[in-house]
Structure formats: structure tokens, C-alpha cells
Amino acid sequence: MLECFYPDEYLDSAYEVDYEGLYQKGFRGVIFDIDNTLVPHGAPADERSIALFERLRGIGLESVLLSNNKEPRVKTFNDKVHSRYLFKAGKPGRTGYCKAMELMGTTPETTFFVGDQLFTDVWGAKRVGLLTYLVKPIHPKEEIQIVLKRRLEWIVLHFYKRSLRRQSAGR
């Protein structure tokens, strides 16, 4: 039952994803959440995020920022990283993810998603058939509605990690 929320991969940071390896496997587009995935909540693009998007362009990966935030927040971040973006995306609804793929000219088979929340980011991406990367939140300071969701995420992550241990033991 909880499997619909399980990420395909769980990493400490969006900066640990093997983007080159994914490109070699045929992926051509990446959709990112911004807040607490690439920078702390509400923070501007920093040197690390700017360098990541330069790296992605060098690899040949298309990118879209997909955020439930309002345009001023998303545009300000994007002005430094120079990606495409969608604001007020309505995650976990499918529409934003599909629109992002349309902007990149990719399909679910050639697109992956990187975000920090199970119930919006991962679940929405899984609903359209994307490979999903859940990353640990960059900073503990978050809005109250996100803090409450995090409590529920801990439960799902407990069962996710337990399923991974069982898979490892069965090999």
C-alpha cells in the first residue's frame, strides 16, 4: 500500500545523483523541485546549484524546475541557473510533470525526477511513470504544513528502508 510513495533511489543530496550515468542509460531530461532539494527553503541559487545546471547542460540533459511556489520565487532562482520552469505546478497532480516533459521533448522513459518530499514530489512523479530520486532535505527549517507532512514521511521511509533491508537479505 505504501509502495506508491517509495522512491526508486534515496540519496543524501541532489548533488550526489550520477547524472552522467543516467545520460548514458538513455535519460535526456530531469525535473527538479527547488526548495530543500537544491537550496534551503526560500534561498537563492548558490554556486553549487549554478554549477550543477552548467554540468547538466554540458552532459546534454534538459531540465525543468517544477515548483508549487509562486512565480517570483521560481523565477528568481531560475534567473541564475537558466533552466525552464513551471510554478504553481499542483504537485502531486500529473499535469505539471507532463508539461515539464513536453517542454523538454522527453517521455517518462527518458525523464527522471529529483525532489525532497514523498507525498508531493515522489508520488506525483511516480504517477506519470518517472524514475524518482528522493533526497534528504537540505535544511530543517520549513513551513508548518511541510513539517507536519515530514512526520508522516518518516513512517513511510521506515517501511521503505525495511523493504530495502529485506531485499538485500534475500539476494
Side-chain angles (χ1 to χ4, degrees):
M1 179 176 137
L2 296 176
E3 290 84 4
C4 68
F5 300 111
Y6 290 1
D8 295 301
E9 298 289 336
Y10 184 36
L11 300 174
D12 287 336
S13 167
Y15 300 96
E16 293 179 4
V17 174
D18 180 8
Y19 297 101
E20 290 83 0
L22 288 164
Y23 185 86
Q24 289 174 355
K25 290 179 181 175
F27 288 91
R28 295 298 179 259
V30 54
I31 303 170
F32 286 102
D33 176 53
I34 301 171
D35 288 319
N36 254 345
T37 297
L38 297 168
V39 292
H41 189 82
D46 56 14
E47 288 180 22
R48 187 166 70 157
S49 58
I50 293 166
L52 173 61
F53 282 84
E54 288 173 2
R55 177 178 158 205
L56 296 173
R57 283 188 289 278
I59 296 167
L61 280 169
E62 298 290 329
S63 65
V64 172
L65 302 169
L66 187 68
S67 177
N68 284 345
N69 243 312
K70 295 177 184 169
E71 186 173 23
R73 162 64 182 136
V74 181
K75 184 181 182 316
T76 299
F77 182 88
N78 188 60
D79 285 346
K80 300 284 188 191
V81 300
H82 308 291
S83 180
R84 294 178 190 93
Y85 67 89
L86 295 167
F87 60 95
K88 292 176 105 177
K91 294 183 289 182
R94 298 170 192 231
T95 305
Y97 297 90
C98 292
K99 178 73 173 165
M101 286 186 283
E102 183 182 313
L103 287 173
M104 294 185 291
T106 60
T107 65
E109 296 78 26
T110 62
T111 308
F112 62 100
F113 181 86
V114 181
D116 71 300
Q117 292 187 52
L118 285 176
F119 301 133
T120 51
D121 297 334
V122 170
W123 186 41
K126 288 181 76 78
R127 293 176 69 209
V128 295
L130 303 182
L131 176 70
T132 57
Y133 282 81
L134 176 68
V135 296
K136 293 179 182 173
I138 290 176
H139 195 275
K141 184 178 180 279
E142 297 181 297
E143 297 172 343
I144 187 64
Q145 72 271 16
I146 296 172
V147 170
L148 296 173
K149 282 193 283 187
R150 293 279 187 216
R151 303 279 187 226
L152 295 172
E153 284 184 357
W154 291 343
I155 296 166
V156 175
L157 284 172
H158 167 77
F159 288 104
Y160 167 72
K161 290 173 185 174
R162 192 165 89 179
S163 76
L164 291 179
R165 286 192 298 272
R166 284 184 182 157
Q167 289 172 7
S168 295
R171 288 183 189 164

